[in-house]
Amino acid sequence: MSADDLQLETKFTHMGRPPAGLGTPVSHPVTRASTLLFEKAEDLYRSDIRGYGRHGTAVHDALADLFTELEGGVGSLLYPSGVAALTGPILTIVKPGDHVLLTDSAYGPTRYFCQTFLKRYGVEMELYDPRIGSGISDLIRENTSLILLESPGSLTFEIQDLPAIAKSAKAKGVATLIDNTWSGGITLNPLQFGIDISVHAATKYFGGHSDVMYGAAVFGDEGLFIRAKLTAKQLGNASSPDDAYQILRGFRTVLPRFRQSEATALALAEWLMTRDEIQTVLHPAVTDHPDHDLWKRDFTGGACLFACVFKPLNEADVLKFIDNLKLFGIGYSYGGFESLAIHCDPQLKRSHADRLGGPLIRFACGLEAISDLKADIEQSLASVF
Ligand SMILES: Cc1ncc(COP(=O)(O)O)c(C=O)c1O
């Protein structure tokens, strides 16, 4: 049986473990080190051995291999947070004088980084409509070096036409990077559509327990991988062996956790569609989502996270709805074992979209029973409508 023929469940169970032997542990032990000792002075300047703690450990190597396997890339780089996994590759690609295209639906800190940090370094960022598809060609300039994507978009869940955007970018020699955190790489493989870099906030599903920050970038292009590796080295983008261990541990159980919370999210989204208090459900797997067909074409499933536009409510009642939920914690993030809810309007910034017409509430589903989560939302809706 070739390793390539194995299913992801089997790969995530067996890959990245130490060779079996008498009394060997099932998982790589955590090695904490800054200094690594050499036997001989002549070995100090060898490039074929790991010479310093910042360059990783066996746990980091195993984890990077699993990310590469997840998405079928040529290699992966590890970062201390999801944001670092976005900014490291971006800084690899852009230079002063460049133009960058960013989806209007991008994660807030990505937008802020482009608008402030990149601007300071003479890089111009232009926001584009996430539903632009092949129309992106018209926005590509002589000096465009990078197109940033995110699908579904943060908070508003628009699906992007990845093959069309990748094709337009390739035709003009422009690199593409997608924030693939929502799908966990489990229900979307952007590299297969020609996207160059797929980034994960591994803080979410791979951490899985809301107690560790981490990031990874998976590369489909060898040249970009080598350049980004050098950037990471130059920026000192090392991650703690303890954190890498937690993420590798999370990989072992990510699929059943992901699938349970994915099923819960879809069940709740479909139920909320039937409720009078809800104006629109923003989940691409529900049939009346405007990008449902595109989602069906490119994704193999959903994820734990979706949002709803409620019928108009005053601000105090929006806060009351969130406060009255008993099982949904009030907190940013998703992909943990526990459910979370936030109201989104104070952070929603869009240049290419109409106003939503009601308050936007985001639900991140955890591993609780669907019936309990449904009852919780129902009682909180009753307290404000
Ligand atoms: C879509 C998306 N990308 C990136 C990040 C950033 O990840 P981290 O919090 O690990 O820096 C987040 C975190 O919420 C996110 O939701």
Side-chain angles (χ1 to χ4, degrees):
M1 190 169 29
S2 139
D4 288 345
D5 297 334
L6 297 173
Q7 301 297 311
L8 275 190
E9 282 81 352
T10 314
K11 288 178 176 172
F12 289 0
T13 305
H14 288 278
M15 280 186 64
R17 288 173 40 189
L22 195 62
T24 49
V26 168
S27 301
H28 283 292
V30 178
T31 307
R32 290 197 196 90
S34 52
T35 302
L36 300 175
L37 293 173
F38 297 80
E39 213 177 332
K40 295 199 176 83
E42 68 188 19
D43 290 336
L44 268 170
Y45 298 100
R46 278 172 56 176
S47 57
D48 60 330
I49 50 175
R50 210 190 312 262
Y52 192 52
R54 203 169 52 227
H55 304 151
T57 65
V59 168
H60 291 92
D61 292 348
L63 181 56
D65 287 349
L66 275 170
F67 273 112
T68 304
E69 194 64 38
L70 168 72
E71 299 232 27
V74 297
S76 298
L77 296 176
L78 305 175
Y79 297 87
S81 69
V83 164
L86 289 160
T87 56
I90 293 173
L91 290 173
T92 301
I93 293 164
V94 302
K95 60 179 187 320
D98 280 0
H99 170 247
V100 168
L101 287 163
L102 172 69
T103 175
D104 196 25
S105 57
Y107 176 58
T110 308
R111 186 183 182 113
Y112 186 63
F113 173 78
C114 293
Q115 278 171 335
T116 56
F117 192 104
L118 289 189
K119 188 173 177 202
R120 221 165 53 233
Y121 286 88
V123 176
E124 184 190 351
M125 182 272 280
E126 183 181 351
L127 293 163
Y128 66 88
D129 180 342
R131 296 189 166 113
I132 197 167
S134 57
I136 195 97
S137 292
D138 298 336
L139 301 184
I140 297 177
R141 305 180 192 166
E142 275 295 299
N143 60 341
T144 306
S145 55
L146 177 63
I147 299 173
L148 293 161
L149 305 92
E150 190 175 324
S151 183
S154 271
L155 308 177
T156 41
F157 296 86
E158 301 88 344
I159 298 293
Q160 296 199 253
D161 190 338
L162 305 190
I165 294 176
K167 192 171 166 207
S168 304
K170 279 204 190 316
K172 300 198 176 179
V174 177
T176 44
L177 180 154
I178 187 167
D179 184 332
N180 193 20
T181 301
W182 185 81
S183 89
I186 295 165
T187 55
L188 178 72
N189 180 347
L191 304 186
Q192 152 199 339
F193 299 120
I195 301 293
D196 295 318
I197 308 170
S198 174
V199 170
H200 294 275
T203 307
K204 318 293 176 197
Y205 308 113
F206 298 96
H209 298 75
S210 308
D211 55 3
V212 58
M213 309 288 303
Y214 215 77
V218 188
F219 294 78
D221 179 281
E222 183 80 32
L224 284 175
F225 174 56
I226 292 166
R227 284 168 56 202
K229 201 170 178 174
L230 182 61
T231 307
K233 204 170 167 181
Q234 288 172 322
L235 293 177
N237 241 329
S239 64
S240 139
D242 293 283
D243 292 349
Y245 183 87
Q246 293 296 341
I247 301 297
L248 183 57
R249 198 172 199 259
F251 241 109
R252 305 299 179 201
T253 57
V254 73
L255 289 173
R257 286 187 288 103
F258 182 95
R259 293 203 168 115
Q260 182 176 328
S261 59
E262 172 196 12
T264 301
L266 186 55
L268 289 182
E270 285 176 340
W271 167 69
L272 283 162
M273 268 173 68
T274 67
R275 300 285 311 194
D276 286 344
E277 302 91 338
I278 305 301
Q279 189 172 297
T280 324
V281 171
L282 303 179
H283 187 318
V286 303
T287 46
D288 67 351
H289 187 280
D291 306 320
H292 180 68
D293 290 344
L294 210 51
W295 170 81
K296 236 164 107 177
R297 187 193 70 185
D298 295 346
F299 286 70
T300 58
C304 75
L305 191 75
F306 70 100
C308 291
V309 182
F310 279 31
K311 296 247 172 87
L313 272 184
N314 65 46
E315 210 179 311
D317 280 340
V318 172
L319 301 183
K320 188 171 165 194
F321 171 78
I322 301 285
D323 288 342
N324 281 352
L325 290 166
K326 307 275 186 293
L327 299 176
F328 288 81
I330 306 169
Y332 295 112
S333 206
Y334 56 98
F337 60 87
E338 83 295 6
S339 294
L340 298 168
I342 56 169
H343 61 296
C344 306
D345 296 295
Q347 60 162 309
L348 190 61
K349 294 191 172 62
R350 293 291 182 264
S351 307
H352 286 276
D354 298 332
R355 294 182 69 79
L356 291 170
L360 181 65
I361 309 287
R362 188 180 81 172
F363 296 100
C365 299
L367 302 179
E368 302 93 334
I370 298 174
S371 54
D372 291 336
L373 294 178
K374 203 186 265 187
D376 192 26
I377 296 174
E378 198 160 27
Q379 64 79 26
S380 198
L381 284 174
S383 74
V384 294
F385 280 99

